[in-house]
Amino acid sequence: MTDYRKKLEACGIAWPELAHPNLPFAPTKRIGDVLYVSGQIPEVAGEVAFTGKVGAEINVETALKSARLCAANAIYWASDALGGDLDRVVQLAKLTIFINATPGFTTFSQIGNGASEVMNAVFGARGEHARSAIGVAGLPANVPVEVEAVFHIR
């Protein structure tokens, strides 16, 4: 087991087991020394773990769990794109966290912290990143959170 898997498990998250989606886009795209990871939803073993709108069916605690799973899935796809060698990550440059929330909900940054904390725990100083956490009217499969990532790699 790699150190990255151990660090993720220390966060209380098992290493994801994801299948390449049958969609008209890729989970990752590398351009030079930048790796873009498509938006990740809170999926565990091919199943959506949480659905609903934050502030209605989903509370902040569950939204935080969702953000953490999304971050883990982004790490999984980065690892997949890098042939399992996450040592090639120079820096996590940017995270964008989308929160499917009710009108008037404003605790987006707190939910975004769930994803940020996972990245910081797994990558250490290389996990420090710029970030946006924004509310949206809806997300695919009615998930509460979606996270996309941009990595600087070698």
Side-chain angles (χ1 to χ4, degrees):
M1 179 179 296
T2 68
D3 286 342
Y4 298 100
R5 288 179 186 228
K6 289 177 185 173
K7 289 176 183 178
L8 191 58
E9 288 180 357
C11 293
I13 304 169
W15 188 257
E17 295 180 20
L18 302 172
H20 197 284
N22 185 19
L23 298 169
F25 59 89
T28 60
K29 183 66 178 175
R30 179 181 178 173
I31 301 173
D33 61 357
V34 177
L35 180 67
Y36 297 89
V37 179
S38 294
Q40 297 301 305
I41 62 174
E43 182 180 353
V44 176
E47 299 293 325
V48 175
F50 303 104
T51 59
K53 203 169 268 296
V54 181
E57 304 88 2
I58 300 290
N59 61 25
V60 171
E61 181 180 320
T62 302
L64 275 164
K65 290 177 186 175
S66 295
R68 295 167 56 82
L69 285 174
C70 295
N73 292 345
I75 293 167
Y76 171 86
W77 286 116
S79 176
D80 182 74
L82 298 171
D85 186 3
L86 288 172
D87 285 338
R88 292 177 55 198
V89 170
V90 174
Q91 187 72 48
L92 171 60
K94 175 96 189 291
L95 279 182
T96 305
I97 299 97
F98 302 95
I99 298 105
N100 177 10
T102 58
F105 184 85
T106 60
T107 314
F108 305 119
S109 188
Q110 181 182 347
I111 293 167
N113 288 346
S116 292
E117 289 165 358
V118 168
M119 293 297 190
N120 291 336
V122 171
F123 291 105
R126 295 178 302 134
E128 185 177 319
H129 54 276
R131 186 185 91 183
S132 297
I134 59 173
V136 296
L139 288 170
N142 195 34
V143 296
V145 180
E146 182 174 354
V147 174
E148 63 181 27
V150 179
F151 291 93
H152 177 212
I153 60 171
R154 58 172 188 249

Coordinates of all heavy atoms in Angstrom, one line a residue, residues 53-93:
K53 N -30.1 18.2 -1.7 CA -29.7 19.6 -1.6 C -29.3 20.0 -0.2 O -30.0 19.6 0.8 CB -30.9 20.5 -2.1 CG -30.5 21.8 -2.6 CD -31.6 22.5 -3.3 CE -31.8 22.2 -4.7 NZ -30.7 22.8 -5.6
V54 N -28.1 20.6 -0.1 CA -27.6 21.1 1.2 C -28.5 22.2 1.7 O -28.8 23.1 1.0 CB -26.1 21.5 1.1 CG1 -25.6 22.0 2.5 CG2 -25.2 20.5 0.5
G55 N -28.9 22.0 3.0 CA -29.9 23.0 3.5 C -31.3 22.4 3.5 O -32.2 23.0 4.1
A56 N -31.5 21.3 2.8 CA -32.8 20.7 2.8 C -32.6 19.2 3.2 O -32.6 18.9 4.4 CB -33.5 20.7 1.4
E57 N -32.4 18.3 2.3 CA -32.2 16.9 2.6 C -30.8 16.6 3.2 O -30.6 15.5 3.8 CB -32.4 16.0 1.4 CG -33.7 16.1 0.7 CD -33.7 17.2 -0.4 OE1 -32.6 17.9 -0.6 OE2 -34.7 17.4 -1.0
I58 N -29.9 17.4 3.0 CA -28.5 17.2 3.4 C -28.0 18.3 4.4 O -28.2 19.5 4.1 CB -27.5 17.2 2.1 CG1 -27.9 16.1 1.1 CG2 -26.1 17.1 2.5 CD1 -27.6 14.7 1.6
N59 N -27.5 17.8 5.5 CA -27.0 18.8 6.5 C -25.5 19.0 6.2 O -24.9 18.4 5.4 CB -27.2 18.3 7.9 CG -26.6 17.0 8.2 OD1 -25.5 16.6 7.6 ND2 -27.1 16.2 9.2
V60 N -24.9 20.0 6.9 CA -23.5 20.4 6.7 C -22.6 19.2 7.0 O -21.6 19.0 6.2 CB -23.2 21.6 7.6 CG1 -21.7 21.9 7.5 CG2 -23.9 22.8 7.1
E61 N -22.8 18.4 8.0 CA -22.0 17.3 8.3 C -21.9 16.3 7.1 O -20.8 15.8 6.7 CB -22.4 16.6 9.6 CG -21.6 15.4 10.0 CD -22.1 14.7 11.2 OE1 -22.5 15.4 12.2 OE2 -22.1 13.5 11.3
T62 N -23.1 16.0 6.6 CA -23.1 15.0 5.4 C -22.5 15.7 4.2 O -21.8 15.0 3.4 CB -24.6 14.6 5.1 OG1 -25.1 14.0 6.3 CG2 -24.6 13.6 4.0
A63 N -22.7 17.0 4.0 CA -22.0 17.7 2.9 C -20.5 17.6 3.0 O -19.8 17.5 2.0 CB -22.5 19.1 2.8
L64 N -20.0 17.8 4.3 CA -18.6 17.6 4.5 C -18.1 16.2 4.1 O -17.0 16.1 3.5 CB -18.2 17.9 6.0 CG -18.1 19.4 6.4 CD1 -18.1 19.5 7.9 CD2 -16.8 19.9 5.8
K65 N -18.8 15.2 4.5 CA -18.4 13.8 4.1 C -18.4 13.7 2.6 O -17.5 13.1 2.0 CB -19.4 12.8 4.7 CG -19.3 12.7 6.2 CD -20.4 11.7 6.7 CE -20.4 11.6 8.2 NZ -21.5 10.8 8.7
S66 N -19.4 14.3 1.9 CA -19.4 14.3 0.5 C -18.2 15.0 -0.1 O -17.6 14.4 -1.1 CB -20.7 15.0 0.0 OG -21.9 14.3 0.4
A67 N -17.9 16.1 0.4 CA -16.7 16.8 -0.1 C -15.4 16.0 0.1 O -14.6 16.0 -0.8 CB -16.6 18.2 0.6
R68 N -15.3 15.3 1.2 CA -14.1 14.5 1.4 C -14.1 13.3 0.4 O -13.0 13.0 -0.1 CB -14.2 14.0 2.9 CG -14.0 15.1 3.9 CD -14.4 14.7 5.3 NE -13.6 13.6 5.8 CZ -12.4 13.7 6.3 NH1 -11.8 14.8 6.4 NH2 -11.7 12.6 6.7
L69 N -15.2 12.7 0.2 CA -15.2 11.6 -0.8 C -14.9 12.1 -2.2 O -14.1 11.5 -3.0 CB -16.6 11.0 -0.9 CG -17.0 10.0 0.3 CD1 -18.4 9.6 0.2 CD2 -16.0 8.8 0.3
C70 N -15.4 13.3 -2.6 CA -15.1 13.9 -3.9 C -13.6 14.1 -4.0 O -13.0 13.8 -5.1 CB -15.9 15.2 -4.1 SG -17.6 15.0 -4.1
A71 N -13.0 14.6 -3.0 CA -11.5 14.9 -3.0 C -10.8 13.6 -3.2 O -9.8 13.5 -3.9 CB -11.1 15.6 -1.7
A72 N -11.2 12.5 -2.5 CA -10.6 11.2 -2.6 C -10.7 10.7 -4.0 O -9.7 10.2 -4.6 CB -11.2 10.2 -1.6
N73 N -11.8 10.9 -4.6 CA -12.0 10.5 -6.0 C -11.1 11.3 -7.0 O -10.6 10.7 -7.9 CB -13.5 10.5 -6.4 CG -14.3 9.5 -5.7 OD1 -13.8 8.6 -5.1 ND2 -15.6 9.7 -5.7
A74 N -10.9 12.5 -6.7 CA -10.0 13.3 -7.5 C -8.6 12.8 -7.4 O -7.8 12.7 -8.4 CB -10.1 14.8 -7.1
I75 N -8.2 12.5 -6.2 CA -6.9 11.9 -6.0 C -6.7 10.6 -6.7 O -5.7 10.3 -7.3 CB -6.6 11.7 -4.5 CG1 -6.5 13.1 -3.8 CG2 -5.3 10.9 -4.2 CD1 -6.5 13.0 -2.2
Y76 N -7.7 9.7 -6.7 CA -7.7 8.5 -7.4 C -7.5 8.7 -8.9 O -6.6 8.0 -9.5 CB -9.1 7.7 -7.2 CG -9.2 6.5 -8.1 CD1 -8.7 5.3 -7.7 CD2 -9.8 6.6 -9.4 CE1 -8.7 4.2 -8.6 CE2 -9.8 5.5 -10.2 CZ -9.3 4.3 -9.8 OH -9.4 3.3 -10.7
W77 N -8.2 9.6 -9.5 CA -8.1 9.9 -10.9 C -6.7 10.5 -11.3 O -6.1 10.2 -12.3 CB -9.2 10.7 -11.5 CG -10.4 9.9 -11.6 CD1 -11.6 10.0 -10.9 CD2 -10.6 8.7 -12.4 NE1 -12.5 9.0 -11.3 CE2 -11.9 8.2 -12.2 CE3 -9.8 8.0 -13.3 CZ2 -12.5 7.1 -12.8 CZ3 -10.3 6.9 -13.9 CH2 -11.6 6.4 -13.7
A78 N -6.2 11.3 -10.4 CA -4.8 11.8 -10.6 C -3.8 10.7 -10.6 O -2.9 10.6 -11.4 CB -4.5 12.9 -9.5
S79 N -4.0 9.8 -9.6 CA -3.1 8.6 -9.5 C -3.2 7.8 -10.8 O -2.2 7.4 -11.3 CB -3.5 7.8 -8.3 OG -2.7 6.6 -8.2
D80 N -4.4 7.6 -11.2 CA -4.6 6.8 -12.5 C -3.9 7.4 -13.7 O -3.2 6.8 -14.4 CB -6.1 6.7 -12.7 CG -6.5 5.9 -13.9 OD1 -6.3 4.6 -13.9 OD2 -6.8 6.5 -15.0
A81 N -4.0 8.7 -13.8 CA -3.4 9.5 -14.9 C -1.9 9.4 -14.8 O -1.2 9.5 -15.9 CB -3.9 10.9 -14.9
L82 N -1.4 9.3 -13.6 CA 0.1 9.4 -13.4 C 0.7 8.0 -13.2 O 1.8 7.8 -12.7 CB 0.4 10.3 -12.2 CG 0.0 11.7 -12.4 CD1 0.2 12.5 -11.1 CD2 0.7 12.4 -13.5
G83 N -0.1 7.0 -13.7 CA 0.4 5.6 -13.5 C 0.7 5.1 -12.1 O 1.5 4.3 -11.8
G84 N -0.1 5.7 -11.2 CA 0.0 5.3 -9.8 C 1.1 6.1 -9.0 O 1.3 5.8 -7.9
D85 N 1.8 7.0 -9.7 CA 2.9 7.7 -9.1 C 2.5 9.1 -8.7 O 2.8 10.1 -9.4 CB 4.1 7.7 -10.1 CG 5.4 8.3 -9.4 OD1 5.4 8.6 -8.2 OD2 6.4 8.4 -10.2
L86 N 1.9 9.2 -7.5 CA 1.5 10.6 -7.0 C 2.7 11.4 -6.6 O 2.6 12.6 -6.3 CB 0.5 10.4 -5.9 CG -0.9 10.0 -6.4 CD1 -1.8 9.7 -5.2 CD2 -1.5 11.1 -7.3
D87 N 3.9 10.8 -6.5 CA 5.1 11.6 -6.3 C 5.4 12.6 -7.4 O 6.1 13.6 -7.2 CB 6.3 10.7 -6.1 CG 6.4 10.0 -4.8 OD1 5.7 10.5 -3.8 OD2 7.0 9.0 -4.7
R88 N 4.7 12.3 -8.6 CA 4.9 13.3 -9.7 C 4.1 14.5 -9.5 O 4.2 15.5 -10.3 CB 4.4 12.6 -11.0 CG 5.4 11.4 -11.4 CD 5.0 10.7 -12.6 NE 4.8 11.6 -13.7 CZ 4.0 11.2 -14.8 NH1 3.5 10.0 -14.9 NH2 3.9 12.1 -15.8
V89 N 3.2 14.6 -8.5 CA 2.5 15.8 -8.2 C 3.4 16.8 -7.6 O 4.0 16.6 -6.5 CB 1.3 15.6 -7.2 CG1 0.7 16.9 -6.8 CG2 0.2 14.7 -7.9
V90 N 3.6 17.9 -8.3 CA 4.5 19.0 -7.8 C 3.7 19.8 -6.8 O 4.2 20.2 -5.7 CB 5.0 19.9 -8.9 CG1 5.8 21.1 -8.4 CG2 5.9 19.1 -9.9
Q91 N 2.4 20.2 -7.1 CA 1.6 21.0 -6.3 C 0.1 20.9 -6.8 O -0.2 20.8 -8.0 CB 2.0 22.5 -6.5 CG 1.3 23.4 -5.5 CD 1.8 23.3 -4.1 OE1 3.0 23.2 -3.9 NE2 0.9 23.2 -3.2
L92 N -0.8 20.8 -5.8 CA -2.2 21.0 -6.1 C -2.4 22.5 -6.3 O -2.1 23.3 -5.4 CB -3.1 20.5 -5.0 CG -4.6 20.8 -5.1 CD1 -5.2 20.2 -6.4 CD2 -5.3 20.3 -3.9
A93 N -2.7 22.9 -7.5 CA -2.8 24.3 -7.8 C -4.2 24.9 -7.4 O -4.3 26.0 -6.8 CB -2.6 24.6 -9.3

